[in-house]
Structure formats: structure tokens, C-alpha cells
Amino acid sequence: QVHLVESGGGVFQPGRSLTLSCAASGFDFSAYGMHWVRQAPGKGPEWVAVISFHGINKYYADSVKGRFTISRDNSKSTLYLQMNTLRPEDTAVYYCAKYSDYGEHGDWLDPWGQGTLVTVSS
Amino acid sequence: EIVLAQSPATLSLSPGERATLSCRASQSVSRHLAWYRQKAGQAPRLLIYDTSNRAPGIPARFSGSGSATDFTLTISSLEPEDSAVYYCQLRSGFAFGPGTKVEIK
């Protein structure tokens, strides 16, 4: 059974940096692309970034481009999101999600982890 | 940039009733659209992908239809557990719509 567990959230001051982790189990992590999605309090989901199975291809939402970096360590079955120059508007629950492996392109988000809350506040 | 609009914002229905949720794209997206359900306090879950295909484990009461710019999620007979917010999502840029909240009376 696929299991995704995010960690690294907490309360951070504006301008600081942090790295979120997503530990994966129950599937061949090295064979699947992965997403990060965030959801601000009371708002809908906002897609953040995606990385290919080998880590070569990466794409970002305009709102985080140049500040966030997605990466992965297939030897550790772990996905990362490095977040620099944090802003109050980055406050959200951050979810990782696996490529679905079905559909025409196989990159829908299924399943998702339970999320980790990042609060950016002075 | 393609933008999604969802209607209605809120839908209040009784168990057993049929729910029809709409998602409209600002330009054609072919059939590259998905639907997710998010129950309170939980992560979203994929229901429908590529417009009309149910994800594994999703009950047959959920169905999707549409093409180009207009898409519909239908829940044929509402159950209490269907109380949630439903989001549509594009494959292009993976953008989400604003959501429709379904309340069960």
C-alpha cells in the first residue's frame, strides 16, 4: 500500500529557509514522478512543483519559481521541497503526491500524503 | 494561462439525490481534466481522471463527462460521506478550480 509522509513543517520567520521531506513507501519510488501541492487555510489546493522519476525534469508554479526547489533521493525514497525567502503568503499545508500511473499521461495526483503545515509569521 | 471556474459554489442536497457539479475552462483542454474530493480535515483524493475515468476504488455513483471547455461531475445518489469540497484540475499546469462545496442535508 502506498504511503506518503510529509515532515519539516512548523513556524518560520519571513525571509528564512526550510526544507520539507516526503518519505515514500509501498511502491517503487524511483519509477514515479512526484508532485508538491499546497493549500492555504480556507483555500483550495495550489499546485507547486513536479519532478520526473529520475529527477531531471522539474517544473514550478510561477508563484514559487526561483524560490523553491524540488528534488528527490531515490536511494532514500524521499522527495524534498527546499523553500527559500519565505513569505507570509507561503503559509499553507504542503502535500506531496505520487503520479497516478494511469490515464493518458499517468501524471494525475494519486495518492496524496496527509500534509505538513508551514506557517510563515514574524 | 487557462483558468477554471466551478459552479455552483455550494450545493445543498438530501441523501439519495443527484448532484451535478460543473467545471468550465477558459479555453479547450481536450479531455485532460480530473476531479478530486476533499473531506474536512483530509487530503484531496482523486475521483475521476481524463474527464470520465473513475480512479481505482471510487464507487460507480461518481461519473464524469464533458470535453473541450465544459465538464461535469455527477454523483448519482448522494450518501452522507459525500459531504466534501470537490475540485476540478487541469493537466496543463495542474491548476485547480475554486471548488464546489457539497452539503448533505
Side-chain angles (χ1 to χ4, degrees):
Chain A
Q1 185 174 353
V2 174
H3 202 44
L4 301 170
V5 180
E6 301 91 340
S7 61
V11 180
F12 303 89
Q13 291 184 327
R16 300 297 293 269
S17 298
L18 78 129
T19 299
L20 302 181
S21 300
C22 168
S25 60
F27 66 104
D28 182 0
F29 180 76
S30 66
Y32 290 90
M34 296 290 294
H35 297 269
W36 283 103
V37 178
R38 67 183 181 183
Q39 189 168 27
K43 304 294 185 182
E46 178 191 13
W47 176 80
V48 171
V50 64
I51 186 169
S52 57
F53 68 96
H54 41 43
I56 294 175
N57 302 113
K58 306 174 185 181
Y59 301 96
Y60 299 90
D62 288 343
S63 57
V64 306
K65 201 174 295 182
R67 293 192 302 125
F68 289 9
T69 301
I70 188 171
S71 63
R72 64 190 298 157
D73 185 337
N74 286 345
S75 69
K76 296 181 178 179
S77 295
T78 301
L79 175 73
Y80 302 99
L81 184 68
Q82 182 179 349
M83 306 165 61
N84 296 331
T85 319
L86 287 168
R87 303 169 179 169
E89 55 264 36
D90 294 323
T91 294
V93 175
Y94 284 75
Y95 298 98
C96 61
K98 170 186 167 291
Y99 269 27
S100 63
D101 193 32
Y102 40 83
E104 183 177 343
H105 298 278
D107 52 4
W108 297 112
L109 287 68
D110 187 39
W112 301 44
Q114 87 292 344
T116 187
L117 176 62
V118 173
T119 302
V120 182
S121 174
S122 54
Chain B
E1 178 189 354
I2 303 174
V3 178
L4 293 174
Q6 291 187 242
S7 62
T10 303
L11 199 52
S12 185
L13 295 168
S14 299
E17 288 193 298
R18 182 185 192 90
T20 302
L21 286 66
S22 175
C23 178
R24 177 165 290 179
S26 57
Q27 61 189 79
S28 178
V29 298
S30 184
R31 291 178 59 81
H32 299 146
L33 187 114
W35 291 91
Y36 296 79
R37 176 176 68 182
Q38 185 174 30
K39 297 179 182 180
Q42 297 184 16
R45 181 181 179 184
L46 181 66
L47 297 175
I48 301 287
Y49 64 93
D50 293 347
T51 295
S52 59
N53 298 287
R54 275 190 304 278
I58 300 304
R61 67 180 183 275
F62 292 92
S63 64
S65 63
S67 65
T69 60
D70 291 292
F71 300 87
T72 300
L73 173 70
T74 302
I75 310 172
S76 61
S77 179
L78 282 166
E79 298 192 3
E81 66 189 44
D82 296 331
S83 179
V85 182
Y86 292 79
Y87 298 98
C88 55
Q89 184 199 26
L90 294 173
R91 185 180 173 272
S92 173
F94 298 107
F96 289 87
T100 291
K101 183 176 183 179
V102 174
E103 298 176 340
I104 308 298
K105 294 177 184 176

